[in-house]
Amino acid sequence: MDGTAWDETVDFLVVGSGAGGMAAALSAARAGLKVLVVEKAATFGGSTALSGGGIWIPNNPTLRRKRASDDPDSVVRYLRAITAGDVPDARLTAYVEHGPALMELLESSSRHLRFFWVKGYADYHPEEEGGRALGRTVEPLPFDTRKLGAEEGAQKPNGMKGPLGLWVTSKDYHDLAMVKRTWRGRRASLTAAWRVSSNVVRRRHMATGGRALAARLRMALGEAGIPLRLESPLRQLVRDEDGSVRGAVVAAGLRVRARRGVLLATGGFDHNRELREKYLPDGGRDDVSAGAAENTGDGILAGQEAGAALEFMDDAWWMPSVRHPSGAIVPLVSERCIPPSVIVSAEGRRFTNESAPYVNFVHDQLEGGHVPAWFVMDAKARARYPFAQVLPGAPFPKAYYEAGTVHRAETLTALAGSIGVPAAALAETVRRFNGFARTGRDEDFGRGDSAYDRYYGDPTLPNPNLDELTKPPYYAVRIEAGDLGTKGGLVCDEHSRVLRPDGTHVPGLYATGNTSASVMGHEYAGAGATIGPAMVFGHLAARHAAAREEA
């Protein structure tokens, strides 16, 4: 194609402004490339800005400073064990080998890119060889978004914003959830109150988690002189006759030449009804996704049109969820660890370990056809623990009852009738579970055996995840098979090059994040094992593009 047909020329075009896209842009700029980031939405950050912001990259500098590093071979063995042969070894090894270098690059790129270890947040399978009970997850330090200046209004908002500007990290939430149970929880509540007062006096706009990560990366892009253009969706890839990708058409027909390559970091097909119906299993096809609204599979469809192979399209980063009366999706992470509670099927029976990692929980839920399921708890649970943004001791809003999401009754028999499950089965399920609570051992599903289960449990109990359901009234909450985004996408190699079904690569085309087939396969290594790989494989794409000859 004649160069005069292009409206703009760069070395590396990044499509998508989540953590994977922005990390890739920083890496490419460090390698001396001229970079442009384009974003479909009117705000930056993608699903990253809606997330907890955790990053699972073993042996990163934050962990090393805390003397929490690992033998890289043991990490690879852990990933091999949980992915069970579904992911090429070269991809696993590249992730583990190059992750620390990426984090070093980020720290050296900007003073804003600083992180802390969420010590104790266990890997999701710590009992596997190479798993860690203390975890490997790091998070960005809280960030005052006023520092973004004119860009502050362009940051994707977070529906989980605390009252009066309260800002809470994952570690803070872990402690605050036990405000009615532990002295640490009570101290955390005092800290929270101080933060609210401090925000008022200092007029800060504090962000944590994913919003902090997106803001910090955006600051780094600005410092590096990397342009980020909003409201610039991908229209199509521009290819040569041999299939090589030369650039892309974005926004209203703007043709951008990318001399070294195009990186697709556009998220999954979370909100594409046609693709959900085509690929996802029964029970998971309804759009109960907490992913960014703009995630409609644009990059996946463009890559497929360019000849790419697809994999893991039948899977997602599943998350048991509750539909808020407003229509928002409320993920259930800590709630499933509430001790006096069970989750039952339409038959009134438990079907898995309620406190298991969320992807595994929903896999079991879908496999058994248990959609919806019912979260059953007693008055003691409601008095002690938060649930779906409802504080401990506070009543569920009336709208929850009106929507049929929450039911309440004075007896288990009446509750069973209200939600349409067999009363005898529910009573027997609770009776059996109460017996396990008294002995401290769940003989059916091993709830509380794993360090992961116990992280959000009640440390004042012998088994933090087991307690008797005995105090009326009883509550049942409808649980959907939600997700944080889809897992399936373009097949890539260890350099993030997009591959065709015959194993050859599409020259000039790279993918990362949920646009690519997950390096975690059907599993989940730990908190941040979505964002971590997105960043690392974005970095690897930039490294490979920098070494390519110009197209």
Side-chain angles (χ1 to χ4, degrees):
M1 176 174 288
D2 189 337
T4 60
W6 301 104
D7 298 304
E8 187 169 353
T9 297
V10 297
D11 294 315
F12 195 56
L13 176 64
V14 177
V15 187
S17 67
M22 288 197 278
L26 290 168
S27 182
R30 176 63 69 88
L33 301 186
K34 180 181 180 182
V35 187
L36 172 64
V37 181
V38 295
E39 166 58 51
K40 177 181 182 179
T43 53
F44 68 85
S47 291
T48 296
L50 304 177
S51 74
I55 301 170
W56 197 88
I57 296 178
N59 293 322
N60 67 68
T62 301
L63 294 176
R64 292 202 303 267
R65 286 191 288 268
K66 294 293 184 178
R67 298 183 180 179
S69 56
D70 298 282
D71 174 5
D73 289 341
S74 74
V75 181
V76 173
R77 287 195 295 272
Y78 174 61
L79 293 175
R80 283 180 188 142
I82 66 172
T83 57
D86 290 331
V87 178
D89 214 54
R91 289 260 291 169
L92 300 178
T93 302
Y95 175 45
V96 174
E97 179 181 347
H98 294 283
L102 162 68
M103 297 299 281
E104 291 166 5
L105 182 151
L106 294 179
E107 286 194 356
S108 64
S109 295
S110 172
R111 61 187 174 84
H112 294 295
L113 294 174
R114 297 294 181 266
F115 308 90
F116 71 94
W117 178 26
V118 190
K119 185 178 180 180
Y121 198 168
D123 288 347
Y124 287 178
H125 300 282
E127 63 282 351
E128 294 285 353
E129 182 186 4
R132 284 188 53 144
L134 288 179
R136 301 175 169 105
T137 301
V138 300
E139 270 188 40
L141 293 175
F143 184 75
D144 185 351
T145 60
R146 292 180 306 170
K147 296 177 182 177
L148 286 166
E151 293 291 319
E152 185 177 21
Q155 185 174 19
K156 187 174 290 295
N158 187 339
M160 301 290 284
K161 185 177 180 180
L164 301 176
L166 173 63
W167 48 278
V168 178
T169 66
S170 290
K171 178 64 169 62
D172 296 329
Y173 181 80
H174 168 269
D175 296 340
L176 278 170
M178 292 293 125
V179 65
K180 295 291 189 75
R181 302 295 290 161
T182 67
W183 283 110
R184 176 174 289 184
R186 296 181 185 99
R187 286 194 297 271
S189 69
L190 294 176
T191 299
W194 176 84
R195 286 175 179 171
V196 169
S197 301
S198 176
N199 285 340
V200 172
V201 173
R202 300 169 65 181
R203 299 181 181 179
R204 296 185 302 179
H205 300 165
M206 297 302 293
T208 58
R211 290 189 79 243
L213 178 57
R216 288 177 174 279
L217 286 167
R218 183 66 187 92
M219 290 290 291
L221 288 190
E223 292 170 342
I226 301 170
L228 191 165
R229 295 184 190 163
L230 303 175
E231 298 182 280
S232 299
L234 173 69
R235 298 302 186 193
Q236 69 178 88
L237 295 171
V238 179
R239 292 176 285 146
D240 280 341
E241 291 182 0
D242 66 358
S244 300
V245 172
R246 297 285 302 280
V249 180
V250 301
L254 181 72
R255 301 172 69 84
V256 181
R257 180 186 178 193
R259 290 178 292 215
R260 301 295 182 89
V262 175
L263 172 66
L264 300 175
T266 60
F269 57 95
D270 318 354
H271 303 292
N272 185 315
R273 177 169 293 279
E274 182 179 348
L275 294 183
R276 291 186 76 97
E277 288 285 343
K278 180 177 181 179
Y279 290 110
L280 294 180
D282 288 343
R285 292 173 182 162
D286 287 348
D287 185 350
V288 189
S289 181
E294 296 78 16
N295 291 353
T296 55
D298 299 0
I300 295 171
L301 292 171
Q304 189 177 20
E305 186 178 352
L310 304 178
E311 195 171 17
F312 303 131
M313 294 293 283
D314 61 343
D315 210 352
W317 301 99
W318 300 112
M319 171 64 74
S321 302
V322 172
R323 288 186 187 270
H324 191 277
S326 68
I329 305 302
V330 183
L332 300 183
V333 181
S334 66
E335 290 88 344
R336 293 177 300 106
C337 300
I338 291 175
S341 69
V342 292
I343 298 179
V344 299
S345 66
E347 291 75 39
R349 304 289 186 187
R350 296 175 69 207
F351 54 86
T352 192
N353 170 10
E354 294 89 343
S355 303
Y358 29 93
V359 163
N360 302 101
F361 178 94
V362 179
H363 278 158
D364 290 343
Q365 184 182 12
L366 293 173
E367 185 177 344
H370 307 312
V371 181
W374 293 96
F375 190 112
V376 176
M377 61 187 140
D378 68 358
K380 184 169 53 178
R382 280 303 309 122
R384 290 179 174 179
Y385 314 107
F387 188 93
Q389 302 180 28
V390 179
L391 296 175
F396 282 109
K398 182 180 178 181
Y400 271 118
Y401 293 101
E402 293 173 343
T405 301
V406 176
H407 297 250
R408 170 179 164 163
E410 290 299 318
T411 66
L412 287 172
T413 298
L415 188 70
S418 182
I419 62 176
V421 307
L426 180 60
E428 171 58 21
T429 294
V430 172
R431 184 200 65 78
R432 183 170 176 81
F433 181 81
N434 287 348
F436 297 154
R438 288 190 292 272
T439 64
R441 176 77 172 86
D442 176 9
E443 297 177 9
D444 287 342
F445 298 105
R447 180 174 172 182
D449 289 354
S450 172
Y452 172 79
D453 297 6
R454 296 192 293 270
Y455 180 70
Y456 280 120
D458 186 335
T460 70
L461 300 173
N463 184 324
N465 304 108
L466 302 182
D467 196 7
E468 297 181 73
L469 287 79
T470 56
K471 186 175 181 180
Y474 298 94
Y475 299 84
V477 183
R478 180 181 168 118
I479 306 299
E480 312 291 348
D483 65 74
L484 303 175
T486 51
K487 270 196 174 195
L490 310 178
V491 176
C492 296
D493 67 7
E494 65 272 23
H495 303 293
S496 300
R497 296 182 298 182
V498 172
L499 302 181
R500 302 184 178 104
D502 64 2
T504 61
H505 67 276
V506 179
L509 187 61
Y510 303 87
T512 195
N514 290 351
T515 310
S516 61
S518 173
V519 73
M520 294 292 154
H522 295 290
E523 262 293 350
Y524 212 147
T530 49
I531 292 176
M535 295 171 68
V536 173
F537 284 102
H539 164 66
L540 289 171
R543 279 170 44 98
H544 189 273
R548 280 188 79 220
E549 294 184 2
E550 290 188 9

